[in-house]
Amino acid sequence: MFDVIIAGCGPTGAMLAAELRLHDVRVLVLERDTEPTSFVRIVGLHIRSLELMAMRGLLDRLLPHGRQRPAAGFFAAINKPVPRGLDSAHAYLLGIPQPVIVQLLEEHAVQLGAQVRRGCAVAGLEQDEEGVTVELADGEKLRTRYLVGCDGARSTVRKLLGVGFPGEPSRTETLMGELEVGVPQEEIAAKAAVIHEANKSFSLSPFGDEVYRVVVPAVGVSAEPPTLEDFRQGLRAIAGTDFGVHSPRWLSRFGDATRLAERYRVGRVLLAGDAAHIHPPIGGQGLNLGVQDAVNLGWKLAAQVRGWAPETLLDTYQAERHPVAADVLDNTRAQLALSATEPGARAMRRLLTELLDFNEVNRHLIEKITAIGIRYDFGEGPDLLGRRLPDIELAPGTLYGLLHRGRGLLLDRTERLTVGGWSDRVDHLADPTAALDVPCVLLRPDGHVSWIGHDQQDLDQQLARWFGKPVE
């Protein structure tokens, strides 16, 4: 019997598996595909995801495989400079091939002791008071205490649960792929620039020798995989020519469907990543949102498995992450509206372009897209309460270097406090030189500030709230 079975070994599933293994949870990851994806789609890791990777000691593994670019111009692709005041040691975007992220996260999870089985699709599930029986497509049955569906937008786990997935279906679709072209580069560059200026959903950019990354609106909506002819039709419709595209390396399509699961948890079964929310890729938030789901859920589910979770801890996963996803859905809706070609949409875009010249507006939207502006509702308190703490300098090094094990952390500038009976779950650093403007903070394993103060009795109450009963 496993403690947790995860359906889906994408970035969300692999990250969740690694988070659980930090707490010695027995994890099995089931991946429907027999082999990793063959096409190389470049995705962007935003600031908060980079911080989480640094917290777990993974960022140095990822950086050599990616390309850093300024943290600017994300919202509706409106070109503005990096805003002043981004409070992060990782204030940049890391463009990196998605298969590389999946491979490195899967390797990390396996190194920590997770099991991964490919070619295994979930076909059924039944849960009871003790656990979940998972039936695979080949008839094999597995037993687990908890099941997490990280199996994408068409999640089998979500459908088997009967969880509603309300929202809007795709009304338009965009084609994306890498193809060779049959006309000179100069001709492509001149024409592509003019078209992109009028239609932000189009781009044609070089991606290696004679290969171009093509992004073009599709002619109609289809559930079928795109073909070379679909790309030719889309290019002719918007550019008047298909640029002689041929020899595709890979082709894909994505729509503007926007949906949010009604519930993230039904008993012992939970949802994360695209299984819980889908939205257009504008702003590049999807993969990041799923990875951040995994880090929020991992330590809470591990606490449940290990037996020390406070009664309502696992419920805070939905309470915290569902509103975050709803906000992402709303900002992608807004960005799509601003990217439309109708006169009203273009007028709104011109107005927002002016407003983004104000640093506060620019920074607010960048913090929203990159998820460093998130504040969970932990009750009344200073503005820092519920927010993530940046990677500040400490006497032993930096803050994130102390969070690699996925434990809580008390940063104590008074040198008078203790974590007492919670020392098996929470580390304690007494550092009067810590770059904080408050006496002490208690950090959860996901790096969010759950308490601020200097009183031991008050601290003990918050330790019990987040980390359960102390060891006698």
Side-chain angles (χ1 to χ4, degrees), residues 285-363:
Q285 298 165 90
L287 182 149
N288 294 272
L289 186 60
V291 167
Q292 293 155 26
D293 284 348
V295 177
N296 184 283
L297 173 60
W299 70 278
K300 298 172 182 178
L301 186 53
Q304 195 78 17
V305 170
R306 304 300 296 174
W308 57 259
E311 184 177 351
T312 60
L313 181 63
L314 196 53
D315 291 332
T316 67
Y317 167 59
Q318 171 168 325
E320 292 171 5
R321 296 304 296 172
H322 196 276
V324 170
D327 185 69
V328 170
L329 266 60
D330 275 351
N331 81 57
T332 55
R333 288 183 178 107
Q335 292 182 75
L336 273 183
L338 290 164
S339 301
T341 57
E342 291 80 8
R346 298 173 101 173
M348 287 192 296
R349 186 180 183 88
R350 288 192 295 270
L351 176 60
L352 185 60
T353 301
E354 291 180 17
L355 292 174
L356 282 168
D357 286 333
F358 292 95
N359 187 71
E360 293 80 4
V361 176
N362 190 10
R363 188 177 68 214

Side-chain angles (χ1 to χ4, degrees), residues 119-349:
C120 296
V122 174
L125 66 88
E126 289 186 12
Q127 59 175 314
D128 51 48
E129 293 183 358
E130 301 298 324
V132 184
T133 300
V134 180
E135 182 177 357
L136 305 185
D138 63 2
E140 182 182 2
K141 292 186 177 181
L142 303 170
R143 187 73 173 161
T144 181
R145 295 174 67 181
Y146 292 89
L147 170 67
V148 185
C150 301
D151 49 343
R154 296 180 175 86
S155 171
T156 298
V157 173
R158 186 189 66 241
K159 293 174 183 175
L160 290 171
L161 281 177
V163 170
F165 204 38
E168 305 95 55
S170 285
R171 290 159 292 189
T172 62
E173 288 189 334
T174 302
L175 305 176
M176 178 185 293
E178 291 174 10
L179 307 92
E180 295 185 27
V181 298
V183 298
Q185 181 174 347
E186 297 77 13
E187 180 181 336
I188 294 174
K191 193 152 194 172
V194 172
I195 298 171
H196 180 71
E197 186 62 30
N199 193 320
K200 301 302 180 183
S201 61
F202 169 84
S203 69
L204 195 61
S205 54
F207 192 75
D209 294 339
E210 299 182 355
V211 175
Y212 273 70
R213 171 70 55 80
V214 180
V215 180
V216 62
V219 178
V221 176
S222 173
E224 298 299 321
T227 65
L228 177 58
E229 183 56 30
D230 291 331
F231 276 76
R232 288 172 172 162
Q233 289 180 10
L235 288 168
R236 286 195 293 265
I238 196 170
T241 174
D242 60 17
F243 297 99
V245 292
H246 64 94
S247 305
R249 290 186 176 180
W250 59 267
L251 305 173
S252 67
R253 73 166 75 238
F254 58 86
D256 60 350
T258 305
R259 298 185 181 277
L260 179 60
E262 291 177 336
R263 302 174 65 185
Y264 280 18
R265 179 189 176 195
V266 177
R268 291 178 172 268
V269 185
L270 301 101
L271 302 172
D274 287 352
H277 40 70
I278 59 171
H279 55 86
I282 189 167
Q285 298 165 90
L287 182 149
N288 294 272
L289 186 60
V291 167
Q292 293 155 26
D293 284 348
V295 177
N296 184 283
L297 173 60
W299 70 278
K300 298 172 182 178
L301 186 53
Q304 195 78 17
V305 170
R306 304 300 296 174
W308 57 259
E311 184 177 351
T312 60
L313 181 63
L314 196 53
D315 291 332
T316 67
Y317 167 59
Q318 171 168 325
E320 292 171 5
R321 296 304 296 172
H322 196 276
V324 170
D327 185 69
V328 170
L329 266 60
D330 275 351
N331 81 57
T332 55
R333 288 183 178 107
Q335 292 182 75
L336 273 183
L338 290 164
S339 301
T341 57
E342 291 80 8
R346 298 173 101 173
M348 287 192 296
R349 186 180 183 88

Side-chain angles (χ1 to χ4, degrees), residues 416-428:
R416 293 186 287 103
L417 301 181
T418 176
V419 296
W422 292 274
S423 60
D424 63 326
R425 288 154 251 170
V426 182
D427 295 323
H428 178 204

Side-chain angles (χ1 to χ4, degrees), residues 380-448:
E380 294 185 3
D383 183 66
L384 182 61
L385 184 67
R387 296 190 183 277
R388 105 284 183 236
L389 199 61
D391 195 9
I392 61 175
E393 294 290 333
L394 301 170
T398 63
L399 171 64
Y400 292 174
L402 302 179
L403 298 174
H404 289 185
R405 295 192 296 167
R407 293 159 55 91
L409 175 66
L410 173 66
L411 286 181
D412 176 11
R413 296 182 67 219
T414 70
E415 300 183 283
R416 293 186 287 103
L417 301 181
T418 176
V419 296
W422 292 274
S423 60
D424 63 326
R425 288 154 251 170
V426 182
D427 295 323
H428 178 204
L429 176 66
D431 181 3
T433 69
L436 293 169
D437 56 5
V438 293
C440 307
V441 297
L442 177 65
L443 294 180
R444 307 191 313 182
D446 58 0
H448 281 261

